[in-house]
Amino acid sequence: MKRLRQLGRLLRITQVFVRHDLDEFVTAIHLFRPYRLALRLAPWRLFARRNIPRGVRLREALEDLGPVFVKFGQMLSTRPDLLPEDIADELARLQDRVPPFPGDESVRLVEQALGGKLETWFSEFSREPIASASVAQVHIARLHDGAEVAVKVLRPGIESVIERDLELLYLLARLALRYAADTHRLRPVEVVDEFSKTIHDELDLRVESANASRLRANFEGSNLLHVPKVYWDLTRRTVMVLERIHGIPVSNIEGLKAAGIDMRKLAHNGVEIFFTQAFRDGFFHADMHPGNIFVSPEGQYRAVDFGIMGTLGEKDKRYLAENFLAFFNRDYHAVADAHLRAGWVPPGTRLVEFEAAIRTVCEPVFARPIKEISFGRFLLHLFQTARRFNMEIQPQLVLLQKTLFNIEGLGRRLYPDLDLWETAKPYLERWMSEHMGPRAFLKSLRKEFPKWWAMFPEFPSLVHESLRRASQSETAQKSQVQELEQQLRQLRRSQRRLYFAIAGSGLLIAGAVFLGIDISASDPWDWQRVTGWVFAAAGGFMLLRGWPGRNP
């Protein structure tokens, strides 16, 4: 039944892709190859949509296939290191729009999750959702203390839909890996693994709540960014309750100007927020499209939707900071050297060739005015170049590149003359001075010294324990060697016993043959009789030597 269901879905995908004239995707998978001749002879080939870019056709096909495929396409759009640029850019336009489910159903789900009547927790609850997506929808409500909140409710039955389509995505990935040319480089199964983890996180609204709480703590008291409060006592796996956010949508440029907001400052603040999240906290909002950002009348950013977050380790931060600074200083040797020292590219990579490749993609960027230089596009070109030298790009870095690209686009819509470097360079230089060089060493020393001092009294006993363990290890090794030598000696003895037993048996048989020959009794010393007795005696002696109870 499961295979029949999957076959039906595969045929549905084939029909949708054919309708959107995506033959290049259909025929790439072995299962669909029998359709190739039919596709070429089909009447609709006369009205082919080849004049429409392939990225647009793929985006429309994914939208027709449903919400899970839309979300998969959205995730792929964050991996321009794997996809051609035209497809990645078009997939970024995918919109997760699905009809809302009935408000009464939301009420039932909230009551089921919280374990009681709605009126116990809310004085008001709007049954009409203000937003609806494939995984959840949002309702406005009011608590008994007057606080206005947003209630996010997981869509009923979405888990089974997602599991069904994930099985299909894994099947398609394996087929592509087996039959499509040059698919190993794209690692399709790993890509579906990444999507599976992301979508399963979205199915547990407590994960998103934890993300919001962490980001709120990072910007507590900040005038730059406000993150809504999570009402943990009302939050469950399928229900999340947050403080309601009010503000002007950041995409409403005219509304922002009418409110008297300084657009230049707003644009630069957005850049500062991004670099603060990435380099100070190592934890950033990775879904910063205009629909998730609002602005208060005072010019403070207000964020929503914390389902997709990125994290950066110290090694990632250093990689980015070194490359950004070297890029704007046009020091391509430093960019290449940073990759080699960090171990991002194989040790045998020739530095001169890598530097030349980076120069080739970066120099054209500086032919533009400074206000048009894109950090995000620089990172994309850097990743694409590094992949030619077998560098494995970490997903968190690609997620950051896509986020930075969105921040740049947003900032330049707010203020077209935005000079990203004006805000970023001082921040990066300050970060480098704090985390590298003598100042960073002294800071680390001050931080770690109390731990070392507390451990100092234990140092002699630790040294003694290490020496004792080393001695025990040496003793154990000697014991193992002796045991092995004993086993080898035992094996040799067993081999000798086996040899004596076989030889002795042979001699006994030979002696019996000689003694059994009919000879004249008048000659007791006949040579045949004597030979038989000699063989029998020798055989008996050798059998005794090979007897298991005897240790020769």
Side-chain angles (χ1 to χ4, degrees):
M1 181 62 70
K2 178 180 175 181
R3 290 186 178 275
L4 287 175
R5 186 175 68 246
Q6 287 184 339
L7 180 59
R9 289 286 288 162
L10 287 172
L11 291 174
R12 162 71 176 154
I13 291 172
T14 307
Q15 293 169 359
V16 171
F17 275 33
V18 166
R19 187 166 68 246
H20 290 277
D21 201 35
L22 291 167
D23 298 1
E24 61 266 46
F25 296 98
V26 172
T27 56
I29 301 177
H30 183 76
L31 181 64
F32 298 145
R33 285 183 178 173
Y35 292 95
R36 183 177 295 176
L37 181 60
L39 288 172
R40 289 178 176 171
L41 299 176
W44 57 75
R45 300 287 297 189
L46 300 173
F47 309 100
R49 306 173 66 210
R50 292 287 176 175
N51 57 321
I52 298 177
R54 61 178 180 173
V56 175
R57 288 181 276 125
L58 180 59
R59 173 178 59 79
E60 292 175 350
L62 292 176
E63 288 174 341
D64 284 353
L65 286 171
V68 175
F69 285 86
V70 167
K71 295 192 78 67
F72 184 61
Q74 289 173 331
M75 188 276 292
L76 286 178
S77 73
T78 68
R79 300 300 308 269
D81 60 317
L82 300 180
L83 297 178
E85 193 169 347
D86 63 315
I87 292 180
D89 289 344
E90 192 60 41
L91 292 184
R93 302 172 185 266
L94 280 165
Q95 297 297 315
D96 189 10
R97 296 195 190 99
V98 294
F101 55 89
D104 289 338
E105 180 69 7
S106 290
V107 170
R108 185 188 68 79
L109 292 170
V110 171
E111 290 180 339
Q112 181 182 17
L114 298 181
K117 288 294 184 182
L118 197 69
E119 294 76 15
T120 307
W121 299 278
F122 304 101
S123 60
E124 299 176 17
F125 189 94
S126 173
R127 282 168 167 72
E128 190 68 28
I130 62 167
S132 175
S134 57
V135 172
Q137 66 185 33
V138 179
H139 297 261
I140 298 303
R142 190 178 298 276
L143 302 180
H144 289 296
D145 63 3
E148 196 173 17
V149 295
V151 182
K152 190 170 186 177
V153 185
L154 204 67
R155 184 174 288 273
I158 188 62
E159 292 98 333
S160 60
V161 173
I162 286 175
E163 293 302 331
R164 179 197 68 190
D165 284 347
L166 275 176
E167 289 178 359
L168 192 60
L169 286 173
Y170 274 113
L171 176 60
L172 291 172
R174 287 191 291 268
L175 288 171
L177 191 62
R178 183 173 182 180
Y179 296 112
D182 195 33
T183 310
H184 289 272
R185 182 184 65 83
L186 301 178
R187 298 174 297 159
V189 176
E190 287 83 352
V191 171
V192 178
D193 283 337
E194 183 183 338
F195 174 65
S196 176
K197 181 183 181 303
T198 301
I199 196 71
H200 280 108
D201 282 347
E202 290 192 43
L203 292 177
D204 188 345
L205 297 181
R206 293 171 299 186
V207 174
E208 182 177 346
S209 301
N211 291 338
S213 289
R214 180 177 175 184
L215 192 61
R216 178 182 172 85
N218 290 343
F219 283 87
E220 191 71 40
S222 170
N223 294 322
L224 295 175
L225 176 66
H226 176 75
V227 178
K229 172 186 174 182
V230 177
Y231 289 85
W232 279 106
D233 56 329
L234 299 177
T235 295
R236 304 289 188 272
R237 187 183 69 83
T238 57
V239 173
M240 177 176 69
V241 180
L242 292 171
E243 166 196 355
R244 186 184 182 184
I245 289 296
H246 291 279
I248 305 167
V250 75
S251 57
N252 185 359
I253 305 298
E254 294 304 318
L256 294 171
K257 290 179 178 178
I261 293 173
D262 184 339
M263 302 300 281
R264 181 183 183 278
K265 183 179 179 182
L266 186 66
H268 279 283
N269 284 351
V271 176
E272 185 176 348
I273 289 170
F274 170 78
F275 279 95
T276 301
Q277 290 182 74
F279 287 93
R280 186 194 70 183
D281 305 326
F283 183 73
F284 60 94
H285 195 306
D287 197 15
M288 295 290 282
H289 64 76
N292 288 338
I293 308 171
F294 298 86
V295 181
S296 74
E298 297 76 30
Q300 183 190 47
Y301 281 95
R302 297 184 169 184
V304 298
D305 196 348
F306 308 96
I308 304 177
M309 307 295 289
T311 57
L312 295 176
E314 290 301 317
K315 189 176 180 181
D316 298 328
K317 296 177 190 177
R318 180 171 175 170
Y319 165 83
L320 291 166
E322 286 184 346
N323 280 287
F324 281 148
L325 289 170
F327 168 67
F328 268 91
N329 291 327
R330 301 174 81 167
D331 186 354
Y332 305 119
H333 178 82
V335 175
D337 187 56
H339 280 73
L340 286 173
R341 283 189 291 105
W344 290 99
V345 291
T349 303
R350 293 188 60 191
L351 186 63
V352 175
E353 290 182 4
F354 192 36
E355 178 185 347
I358 293 171
R359 184 185 302 277
T360 300
V361 298
C362 291
E363 272 299 313
V365 176
F366 287 99
R368 303 175 179 178
I370 189 70
K371 67 179 183 179
E372 295 181 13
I373 292 178
S374 166
F375 271 62
R377 197 161 294 279
F378 157 68
L379 275 182
L380 173 59
H381 290 326
L382 187 61
F383 294 162
Q384 291 172 338
T385 301
R387 281 193 66 82
R388 288 168 42 203
F389 290 84
N390 299 318
M391 171 178 167
E392 289 293 331
I393 307 299
Q394 301 301 312
Q396 68 270 19
L397 292 179
V398 180
L399 198 58
L400 178 128
Q401 179 271 329
K402 192 67 178 179
T403 304
L404 179 54
F405 200 74
N406 288 338
I407 292 293
E408 287 180 318
L410 173 62
R412 285 178 174 142
R413 280 196 296 273
L414 295 173
Y415 183 68
D417 293 328
L418 172 67
D419 180 358
L420 203 71
W421 194 231
E422 179 184 340
T423 302
K425 185 177 182 181
Y427 195 99
L428 292 172
E429 288 177 339
R430 184 168 66 251
W431 186 89
M432 291 287 283
S433 68
E434 291 175 355
H435 291 79
M436 298 178 65
R439 184 177 172 184
F441 174 75
L442 291 174
K443 183 179 177 181
S444 176
L445 189 63
R446 284 196 302 270
K447 180 180 178 182
E448 298 296 332
F449 184 76
K451 300 178 185 177
W452 297 342
W453 185 255
M455 293 173 59
F456 184 75
E458 302 176 17
F459 185 72
S461 60
L462 290 173
V463 171
H464 174 74
E465 180 67 17
S466 298
L467 292 174
R468 186 182 65 81
R469 289 182 179 179
S471 177
Q472 288 179 344
S473 175
E474 184 178 353
T475 303
Q477 287 179 352
K478 287 182 179 178
S479 175
Q480 289 175 352
V481 169
Q482 291 173 353
E483 184 179 349
L484 181 61
E485 290 177 348
Q486 183 178 359
Q487 289 176 351
L488 287 172
R489 286 195 297 269
Q490 182 65 34
L491 179 62
R492 292 192 189 101
R493 285 197 296 268
S494 298
Q495 289 175 336
R496 284 198 298 270
R497 287 169 180 162
L498 180 62
Y499 166 75
F500 283 132
I502 294 173
S505 299
L507 288 171
L508 279 175
I509 292 171
V513 169
F514 277 105
L515 291 172
I517 297 176
D518 186 19
I519 55 176
S520 172
S522 62
D523 188 5
W525 298 103
D526 182 89
W527 70 270
Q528 291 178 335
R529 188 181 296 277
V530 171
T531 301
W533 282 111
V534 169
F535 279 4
F541 175 75
M542 296 188 80
L543 279 175
L544 287 173
R545 288 293 306 270
W547 196 258
R550 182 179 177 84
N551 291 321

